[in-house]
Amino acid sequence: ILEIQMKQNMLLLLALLLSLSFIGCSKQEEVTSAAEIDRSTSCSLDGMILVDYPGPKAQIHYDKGEADFFCDTMEMFSIYLRPEQKKRLKAMFTQDMGKTPWEQPSGNWIDAKSAYYVIGSKKPGAMGPTLAAFAGMEDAQTFVKQYGGKILKFDEVTLNMVSLDGGAQHDERM
């Protein structure tokens, strides 16, 4: 009888181990990585070739369709913060300007939602004023000491701060 119970316990243990191994085989969510830009990468809003311009670039990846690329972080935020945006996002990336040269940024992609942004600096991006992005607070503070501006977290950036209309909506002379 003891031998039969031991065999049953072993079979039960084996069944349990087998079922646990299938848990790890379930479909896992795909990790989205930033795409590197090259001479063929153009801005989704205006068609500018990204590598031709200074300052941080950005990209938004959606759950369906192609990624959108942007000449600067202002454009990324203006798309992300629009209330009419209905696409489901998988990931957003920008460049860490603490690690890539401002005049010819390449690589050094970071999660846009975890970055620190400097708004109001004297350092222009591809389209004029931009939000310089940094992975670390210390790099953002160093940038502010040199070029001015104010440090914001991702959730502190508002649509009013990233308007792409150049003030045209408020010009009553037109």
Side-chain angles (χ1 to χ4, degrees):
I1 296 178
L2 186 59
E3 189 174 322
I4 292 172
Q5 282 183 329
M6 284 182 60
K7 283 183 183 180
Q8 286 176 339
N9 287 343
M10 288 295 277
L11 285 173
L12 186 61
L13 181 60
L14 184 61
L16 180 62
L17 288 174
L18 191 57
S19 66
L20 287 175
S21 70
F22 284 118
I23 292 173
C25 293
S26 66
K27 185 178 177 185
Q28 293 182 356
E29 227 178 278
E30 187 178 309
V31 174
T32 302
S33 299
E36 284 305 325
I37 58 175
D38 58 28
R39 296 252 9 115
S40 68
T41 311
S42 61
C43 178
S44 296
L45 295 182
D46 56 28
M48 292 172 54
I49 302 299
L50 271 58
V51 297
D52 289 345
Y53 299 93
K57 309 298 176 247
Q59 50 188 281
I60 298 177
H61 296 258
Y62 305 98
D63 66 343
K64 294 181 182 165
E66 298 292 316
D68 282 337
F69 293 88
F70 304 98
C71 322
D72 66 28
T73 53
M74 289 282 235
E75 291 177 333
M76 174 194 72
F77 274 110
S78 74
I79 293 298
Y80 173 75
L81 293 171
R82 282 188 198 164
E84 67 273 14
Q85 277 296 357
K86 300 294 183 211
K87 293 181 180 178
R88 289 185 41 193
L89 303 179
K90 281 183 12 182
M92 295 174 60
F93 300 99
T94 188
Q95 291 174 302
D96 180 359
M97 300 314 289
K99 304 228 178 344
T100 194
W102 190 272
E103 295 305 317
Q104 294 183 319
S106 65
N108 297 298
W109 294 100
I110 56 174
D111 176 10
K113 290 184 176 185
S114 66
Y116 296 94
Y117 294 90
V118 176
I119 188 168
S121 78
K122 296 180 278 185
K123 197 81 167 151
M127 303 297 290
T130 193
L131 287 94
F134 299 90
M137 177 62 91
E138 288 179 12
D139 286 338
Q141 290 168 333
T142 300
F143 184 86
V144 166
K145 286 177 188 170
Q146 189 169 3
Y147 300 105
K150 178 183 175 183
I151 300 171
L152 302 171
K153 291 180 182 176
F154 181 87
D155 292 335
E156 295 174 317
V157 178
T158 67
L159 189 56
N160 293 347
M161 296 173 183
V162 295
S163 172
L164 300 178
D165 66 15
Q169 289 180 342
H170 308 292
D171 188 350
E172 296 176 13
R173 295 174 291 158
M174 295 176 83

